[in-house]
């Protein structure tokens, strides 16, 4: 099996040359686990943070194949004492990444420069960026920014809305076409990265990941994982406060503080999802809007001591205004009120006879942890098609759609692991019971 050219280029940068495609890709994934790499980098550059987050049995970190948005910290005990595992879900990363990239395509050049300077200092550990790289980035950005704004300004709003709509209904997010057209962004070790249209969005994602990790470190530092003296939401607010102080209050320079603010803001914009979601299950975290207001209050409280917070607040408000405008554009296009994305896609594949599209897309949606919302919708549609056929044995369209859905159920049943099959069957049983009652 051959590797796509963009992926082959990344193999080359990392020195992965020998073996089958599966072996090489496996090695690539192990070496680029974004949680483990980011956590180790964060701890190595902050002795104070390492001291605060000490654990006798150590702290492990990594991604988990889950489609949820929020991360978790798990405590364990061994012969060495207490230890922790920081686990962040793989499934949320496409949403965070694409959201950051689309927003930064519309951002002004000065904000892109701020993120670039901050990444150089925080991510690469250099006091200043090599002037040739900075010059190249500036030339590329200044020449391409008007073009990008003109080309994508009318597309980003509705595609941004479609991405959020799909995540709300199915718990998964595809890379929007507007991002896909720009190609894969090279790794940080590749000089082609500098000035790439998606570089600023990738830099914003870096600081968003730092906020996620520092939030979980806040739980470790507080030692509140096994206590019940404080309400659950208050523990989450305290972990946010810890992350604000470490990422923004202790930032090494104004650019880093502003970039840290943007990273926290991006993660706390889970309000995108909450505003559209009809979920009634108990929340694992406080409402995102309350968390955003606490971030704003923190920035205001630091203005006297940290003058860069005034600029951070301006950026905060500007990005919030941009996000609101994108939502308004998505509403105007009607993409936030459309029917279930899966129902629409299933109907289109059956109507056009292009079953291969369904066979290609469904595994992609299931790849990041078999989202519960996607499994629930598959089960609901299966029951819906069965009921249609019971009412009309000649309903060929329903039979065709049911055949596609049953392909998913049959493939899950034949898989070595029964995880997906059990999940699908559980939702199917509930859907059947709901229509029988």
């Amino acid at each position: 099996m051959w590797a796509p050219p963009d992926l082959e280029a990344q193999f080359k940068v990392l020195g992965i040359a020998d073996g089958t495609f599966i072996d090489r890709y496996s090695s690539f994934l192990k070496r680029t686990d974004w949680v483990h790499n980011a956590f180790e980098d964060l701890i190595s550059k902050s002795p104070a943070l390492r001291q605060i987050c000490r654990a006798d049995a150590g702290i492990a970190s990594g991604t988990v194949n889950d489609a949820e948005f929020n991360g978790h910290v798990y405590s364990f005990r061994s012969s060495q004492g207490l230890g922790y595992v920081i686990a962040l879900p793989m499934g949320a990363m496409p949403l965070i990444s694409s959201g950051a990239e689309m927003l930064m395509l519309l951002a002004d050049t000065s904000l892109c420069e701020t993120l670039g300077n901050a990444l150089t200092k925080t991510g690469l550990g250099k006091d200043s960026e090599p002037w040739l790289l900075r010059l190249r980035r500036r030339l590329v950005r200044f020449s391409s920014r008007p073009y990008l704004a003109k080309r994508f300004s009318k597309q980003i709003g509705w595609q941004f809305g479609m991405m959020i709509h799909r995540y709300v209904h199915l718990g998964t997010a595809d890379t929007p076409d507007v991002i896909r057209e720009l190609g894969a962004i090279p790794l940080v070790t590749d000089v082609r990265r500098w000035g790439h249209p998606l570089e600023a969005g990738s830099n914003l994602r870096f600081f968003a990941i730092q906020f996620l990790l520092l939030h979980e470190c806040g739980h470790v530092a507080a030692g509140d994982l096994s206590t019940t003296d404080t309400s659950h939401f208050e523990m989450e607010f305290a972990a946010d406060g810890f992350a604000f102080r470490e990422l923004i209050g202790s930032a090494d320079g104004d650019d880093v503080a502003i970039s840290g603010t943007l990273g926290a803001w991006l993660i706390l914009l889970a309000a995108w999802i909450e505003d559209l979601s009809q979920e009634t299950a108990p929340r694992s975290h406080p409402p995102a809007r309350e968390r955003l207001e606490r971030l704003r209050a923190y920035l205001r409280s630091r203005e006297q001591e940290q003058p860069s917070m005034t600029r951070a607040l301006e950026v905060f408000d500007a990005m919030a205004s941009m996000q609101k405008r994108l939502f308004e554009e998505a509403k105007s296009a009607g993409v936030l009120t459309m029917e279930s994305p899966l129902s629409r896609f299933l109907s289109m594949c059956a109507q056009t006879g292009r079953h291969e599209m369904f066979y290609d897309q469904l595994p992609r949606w299931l790849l990041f942890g078999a989202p519960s919302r996607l499994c629930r919708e598959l089960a609901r549609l299966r029951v819906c098609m069965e009921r249609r056929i019971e009412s009309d044995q000649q309903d060929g369209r329903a039979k065709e759609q049911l055949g596609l859905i049953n392909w998913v159920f049959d493939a899950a049943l034949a898989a070595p692991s029964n995880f997906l099959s059990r999940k699908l069957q559980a939702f199917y049983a509930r859907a059947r019971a709901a229509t029988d009652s």
Side-chain angles (χ1 to χ4, degrees):
M1 182 185 295
W2 58 274
D6 287 335
L7 187 57
E8 192 67 58
Q10 301 312 310
F11 287 165
K12 184 176 181 180
V13 169
L14 292 174
I16 303 173
D18 299 325
T20 65
F21 171 77
I22 296 298
D23 291 338
R24 297 165 71 206
Y25 190 57
S26 176
S27 176
F28 175 80
L29 292 178
K30 289 176 181 177
R31 292 175 60 180
T32 55
D33 183 299
W34 57 272
V35 173
H36 178 73
N37 292 346
F39 179 74
E40 292 300 317
D41 182 68
L42 184 67
I43 290 294
S44 68
K45 292 175 181 173
S46 177
L49 183 63
R50 181 185 290 275
Q51 185 66 25
I52 292 171
C53 296
R54 286 182 60 189
D56 293 333
I59 301 177
S61 60
T63 53
V64 290
N65 193 36
D66 195 305
E68 299 308 313
F69 190 85
N70 294 298
H72 296 280
V73 178
Y74 304 95
S75 60
F76 66 91
R77 289 194 175 275
S78 69
S79 58
Q80 296 175 307
L82 183 64
Y84 299 96
V85 176
I86 295 176
L88 298 184
M90 185 187 301
M93 188 46 55
L95 181 70
I96 295 169
S97 298
S98 296
E101 288 164 349
M102 283 193 283
L103 288 165
M104 293 312 298
L105 279 176
L106 299 176
D108 61 51
T109 303
S110 64
L111 187 53
C112 296
E113 283 296 311
T114 294
L115 285 162
N117 295 339
L119 181 76
T120 298
K121 180 170 286 189
T122 306
L124 304 183
K126 297 179 180 179
D127 290 333
S128 60
E129 187 174 73
W131 72 271
L132 279 175
L133 288 179
R134 178 172 296 187
L135 177 62
R136 181 174 186 273
R137 179 194 285 124
R138 285 182 172 174
L139 288 172
V140 172
R141 283 217 179 104
F142 276 116
S143 63
S144 66
R145 187 63 41 180
Y147 165 74
L148 291 172
K150 182 177 180 180
R151 178 181 175 186
F152 296 126
S153 60
K154 300 300 183 183
Q155 301 179 42
I156 289 179
W158 68 266
Q159 291 194 27
F160 185 83
M162 281 286 290
M163 180 181 69
I164 301 299
H165 181 69
R166 185 177 291 117
Y167 190 86
V168 165
H169 284 273
L170 303 181
T172 185
D174 291 330
T175 302
D177 291 341
V178 69
I179 301 300
R180 203 188 308 273
E181 288 178 27
L182 295 171
I185 182 170
L187 296 175
V188 292
T189 52
D190 192 328
V191 295
R192 294 175 300 166
R193 181 186 185 87
W194 306 101
H196 191 284
L198 301 181
E199 183 200 6
S202 180
N203 293 345
L204 175 54
R205 179 183 61 189
F206 171 86
F207 288 98
I209 291 172
Q210 287 220 318
F211 174 77
L212 283 172
L213 289 170
L214 286 168
H215 173 93
E216 305 306 344
C217 286
H219 287 303
V220 174
D224 57 17
L225 299 177
S226 58
T227 65
T228 56
D229 296 336
T230 308
S231 74
H232 182 65
F233 277 11
E234 284 305 315
M235 289 191 294
E236 296 300 333
F237 284 134
D240 279 349
F242 178 89
F244 296 159
R245 292 190 297 274
E246 291 293 322
L247 185 60
I248 303 168
S250 301
D252 183 14
D254 294 350
D255 287 339
V256 178
I258 293 170
S259 298
T261 299
L262 278 179
W265 171 83
L266 182 69
I267 295 302
L268 298 183
L269 275 184
W272 301 343
I273 302 165
E274 293 175 359
D275 287 348
L276 297 173
S277 178
Q278 301 299 314
E279 290 286 339
T280 57
R283 297 176 183 270
S284 64
H285 288 67
R289 294 203 178 280
E290 290 185 32
R291 299 173 73 188
L292 275 170
E293 284 307 310
R294 294 203 177 206
L295 171 58
R296 187 191 297 275
Y298 176 78
L299 297 176
R300 286 174 176 159
S301 72
R302 297 283 301 174
E303 279 190 280
Q304 294 298 321
E305 186 176 347
Q306 202 172 352
S308 62
M309 292 301 94
T310 301
R311 169 63 176 153
L313 278 164
E314 292 173 356
V315 170
F316 183 108
D317 290 335
M319 295 299 287
S321 177
M322 181 193 298
Q323 178 261 325
K324 183 178 179 181
R325 177 169 62 82
L326 291 177
F327 255 74
E328 290 301 322
E329 291 176 6
K331 286 180 181 178
S332 298
V335 298
L336 299 182
T337 55
M338 291 190 299
E339 62 177 321
S340 159
L342 179 59
S343 175
R344 189 171 64 255
F345 179 62
L346 182 66
S347 177
M348 185 269 290
C349 290
Q351 186 173 355
T352 61
R354 300 180 65 182
H355 296 184
E356 70 279 1
M357 292 177 61
F358 189 85
Y359 300 145
D360 178 71
Q361 183 62 57
L362 247 294
R364 297 174 190 268
W365 284 342
L366 290 167
L367 185 63
F368 295 108
S372 294
R373 279 169 279 184
L374 174 58
C375 292
R376 182 169 58 234
E377 185 66 2
L378 280 165
R380 184 189 72 81
L381 288 171
R382 177 180 174 181
V383 172
C384 180
M385 295 305 132
E386 289 172 343
R387 294 291 189 241
R388 281 176 54 178
I389 295 169
E390 289 171 6
S391 299
D392 181 5
Q393 292 292 325
Q394 304 304 314
D395 191 339
R397 188 64 53 76
K399 290 180 179 179
E400 197 168 356
Q401 293 185 54
L402 180 60
L404 292 172
I405 295 171
N406 283 339
W407 171 78
V408 181
F409 277 76
D410 292 344
L413 187 63
S417 168
N418 66 356
F419 171 76
L420 178 58
S421 182
R422 286 190 297 108
K423 199 168 185 178
L424 286 169
Q425 291 298 338
F427 280 117
Y428 176 66
R430 292 177 202 170
R432 290 284 301 190
T435 57
D436 289 339
S437 60

